[in-house]
Amino acid sequence: EVQLVESGGGLVQPGRSLKLSCAASGFTFSNYYMAWVRQAPKKGLEWVATISTSGSRTYYPDSVKGRFTISRDNAKSSLYLQMNSLKSEDTATYYCARTCSHWYFDFWGPGTMVTVSS
Amino acid sequence: QIMLTQQAESLWISPGERVSITCRASQSLLYTDGKHYLSWYQQRPGQTTKALIYHASVRTDGVPTRFIGSGSGTEFTLSIEHVQPEDFAIYYCLQTLKSPYTFGAGTKLELK
């Protein structure tokens, strides 16, 4: 059974950093692109980052480019999101999602909440 | 970037009815491989987000046949036939043709 479990969320002050983790199980992690998607309270979904199978290629929307870094450790079946220079508008639940070969997000984790506030 | 518009923020329906949710893209989602990079997702409280449809019309494993994806180019529809109580949720479309990948704003199915 595919499982994705995010961790590392919490309350952080504006301008500070936070690193999220996603533990994957039930599939060969190294074979899949992975992504982070976020959802602000009572709002819709927003794609945040994607990483290739080896980690050599990463993709971001302009809203987080230069501040967020996606990475992975295939030996540990883990995905990460380093978030720097956090802003109040980064407050959201962050989901880890697997990207399948048909290029959609086929499995999602339950999410971890990040609140950016002083 | 490609914009996705889900016109209806909410749709009120009764169990057993048929409902259609539309998603309009600002440009064609057809790739050179002949496939549309448009997928649909369901969000229910307390559950993980579930993928329902990919390539505009292909149901993912285990998704009931009452969920039907259709459309091409820039106009796409998710139809649910004989809506069941567990179908009252929020539905999002997503394009993965071009980065940045973008979601529609979501359509909430509500009980009439």
Side-chain angles (χ1 to χ4, degrees):
Chain A
E1 180 193 4
V2 172
Q3 283 204 327
L4 299 169
V5 180
E6 304 89 342
S7 61
L11 175 64
V12 61
Q13 292 179 327
R16 304 297 289 258
S17 299
L18 197 65
K19 186 173 185 177
L20 306 182
S21 300
C22 171
S25 60
F27 65 101
T28 303
F29 181 73
S30 59
N31 286 351
Y32 290 85
Y33 276 54
M34 296 294 296
W36 288 98
V37 176
R38 69 183 178 184
Q39 186 168 33
K42 305 295 186 183
K43 299 294 184 182
L45 299 166
E46 181 187 12
W47 168 71
V48 170
T50 287
I51 189 167
S52 63
T53 52
S54 66
S56 61
R57 286 167 291 175
T58 57
Y59 310 87
Y60 308 92
D62 287 346
S63 58
V64 306
K65 194 177 294 182
R67 299 189 300 122
F68 289 13
T69 302
I70 187 172
S71 62
R72 64 192 298 160
D73 185 334
N74 286 341
K76 295 183 178 180
S77 294
S78 292
L79 180 72
Y80 306 102
L81 185 67
Q82 176 68 47
M83 304 184 294
N84 298 333
S85 303
L86 282 162
K87 307 174 183 180
S88 58
E89 51 263 43
D90 296 318
T91 294
T93 297
Y94 285 74
Y95 301 101
C96 166
R98 190 179 81 167
T99 305
C100 74
S101 60
H102 295 290
W103 216 245
Y104 70 99
F105 302 142
D106 63 344
F107 285 96
W108 298 57
T112 187
M113 181 69 196
V114 173
T115 303
V116 184
S117 174
S118 54
Chain B
Q1 68 178 39
I2 298 176
M3 305 294 292
L4 294 184
T5 301
Q6 291 181 243
Q7 286 279 4
E9 188 173 326
S10 295
L11 292 171
W12 284 266
I13 58 170
S14 299
E17 289 184 341
R18 185 180 192 274
V19 65
S20 292
I21 300 168
T22 61
C23 176
R24 178 177 294 118
S26 58
Q27 63 186 82
S28 175
L29 300 184
L30 179 65
Y31 188 53
T32 54
D33 61 3
K35 298 171 183 172
H36 290 86
Y37 284 78
L38 187 284
S39 47
W40 289 96
Y41 301 84
Q42 178 192 62
Q43 273 199 328
R44 294 168 60 189
Q47 299 206 358
T48 59
T49 302
K50 181 180 182 180
L52 300 174
I53 301 285
Y54 65 95
H55 291 331
S57 62
V58 182
R59 270 185 297 273
T60 65
D61 291 344
V63 170
T65 56
R66 65 180 182 273
F67 290 90
I68 301 167
S70 62
S72 62
T74 61
E75 301 278 339
F76 302 92
T77 302
L78 174 68
S79 298
I80 311 173
E81 297 187 335
H82 308 296
V83 169
Q84 300 298 301
E86 61 267 29
D87 299 338
F88 289 92
I90 303 175
Y91 294 85
Y92 294 92
C93 54
L94 164 70
Q95 71 81 19
T96 51
L97 179 68
K98 291 182 183 176
S99 179
Y101 306 140
T102 46
F103 288 89
T107 297
K108 186 175 184 179
L109 290 192
E110 303 201 67
L111 185 60
K112 189 188 293 182

